[in-house]
Amino acid sequence: MVDVLPLVEARLRTALGEPDARAAVTFLGTDRIEVLRFHEGDIVRYATLGMSAQPMSDPTATLADPVKGPRAELVLSVRAGLAETDKVLRPLAVLAASPQVEGVIVAPGASLDIGEPLWPGAPFSSVLVAEPGGLVEDLALDEPLDPIRFLPLLPMTANEAAWKRVHGAQALQERWLAHGTDLRDPARASVSLA
């Protein structure tokens, strides 16, 4: 088995610069998940490192394929200094461990819910998984391994998450765009859903 994590960290450093902090979380029965923090101007980015160590497998499969299957890491971008966003490290690690713990495949358009605020006082307890490729390019691996995708996370309020369940991810993203929603504002209100 190839250790993909050094390659992942190198790709993150190339795209986002040097991390200025990192934390590690290990959940019982899972691999260690690290969260790296990067600053770029007034934006702080948090990226997971460890989710892609194993491919995500279909929860209905009898046996998980140790080689084939989608691989991903998560990236959250927020405005710095407006909230205690550094407390998002553990919730991000929980989301990154969900494929191992719950057997889910994390893909664009999915909603992931923590069940508690992403950081103290946050109006968000869930995120929308967005399309990869904009901020950090996919990392190609040798065949037969799938490439590693770096999936942006967009925080959702409870109302937005409920609306997305009915109307879909694309409709919610269009509503955000139409209203000029600043998705990096860690204290933003819910977009108008009327």
Side-chain angles (χ1 to χ4, degrees), residues 129-171:
V129 181
E131 290 292 332
L135 188 61
V136 184
E137 286 183 36
D138 291 355
L139 175 62
L141 300 174
D142 293 338
E143 291 289 336
L145 304 179
D146 286 21
I148 295 171
R149 304 171 87 197
F150 296 87
L151 302 172
L153 300 181
L154 307 174
M156 291 188 294
T157 65
N159 287 345
E160 290 169 340
W163 197 86
K164 182 251 174 198
R165 279 192 292 277
V166 174
H167 300 281
Q170 184 65 38

Side-chain angles (χ1 to χ4, degrees), residues 12 16 45-47 73-77 135-136 150-153:
L12 287 169
L16 305 176
R45 302 186 199 285
Y46 302 93
E73 295 290 353
L74 308 175
V75 181
L76 174 70
S77 300
L135 188 61
V136 184
F150 296 87
L151 302 172
L153 300 181

Side-chain angles (χ1 to χ4, degrees), residues 12-190:
L12 287 169
R13 287 172 185 265
T14 300
L16 305 176
E18 285 300 309
D20 66 356
R22 65 192 309 145
V25 180
T26 305
F27 303 100
L28 188 63
T30 67
D31 295 330
R32 169 181 152 129
I33 303 285
E34 287 189 83
V35 179
L36 282 57
R37 183 182 70 190
F38 302 86
H39 271 94
E40 180 185 328
D42 70 336
I43 302 294
V44 61
R45 302 186 199 285
Y46 302 93
T48 63
L49 179 63
M51 180 178 171
S52 62
Q54 297 177 32
M56 294 180 270
S57 57
D58 182 344
T60 61
T62 330
L63 286 172
D65 189 320
V67 177
K68 291 186 147 235
R71 294 175 187 254
E73 295 290 353
L74 308 175
V75 181
L76 174 70
S77 300
V78 291
R79 295 205 181 286
L82 302 177
E84 288 185 81
T85 56
D86 278 353
K87 302 281 170 103
V88 78
L89 301 178
R90 184 169 177 76
L92 266 183
V94 168
L95 295 176
S98 62
Q100 287 183 60
V101 175
E102 299 170 28
V104 297
I105 294 180
V106 178
S111 299
L112 303 175
D113 197 312
I114 290 291
E116 61 187 43
L118 291 176
W119 52 82
F124 322 104
S125 63
S126 62
V127 293
L128 174 65
V129 181
E131 290 292 332
L135 188 61
V136 184
E137 286 183 36
D138 291 355
L139 175 62
L141 300 174
D142 293 338
E143 291 289 336
L145 304 179
D146 286 21
I148 295 171
R149 304 171 87 197
F150 296 87
L151 302 172
L153 300 181
L154 307 174
M156 291 188 294
T157 65
N159 287 345
E160 290 169 340
W163 197 86
K164 182 251 174 198
R165 279 192 292 277
V166 174
H167 300 281
Q170 184 65 38
L172 178 59
Q173 289 179 303
E174 287 169 6
R175 187 153 289 255
W176 281 335
L177 193 58
H179 286 82
T181 306
D182 181 1
L183 297 174
R184 294 176 178 169
D185 180 352
R188 73 172 177 84
S190 184

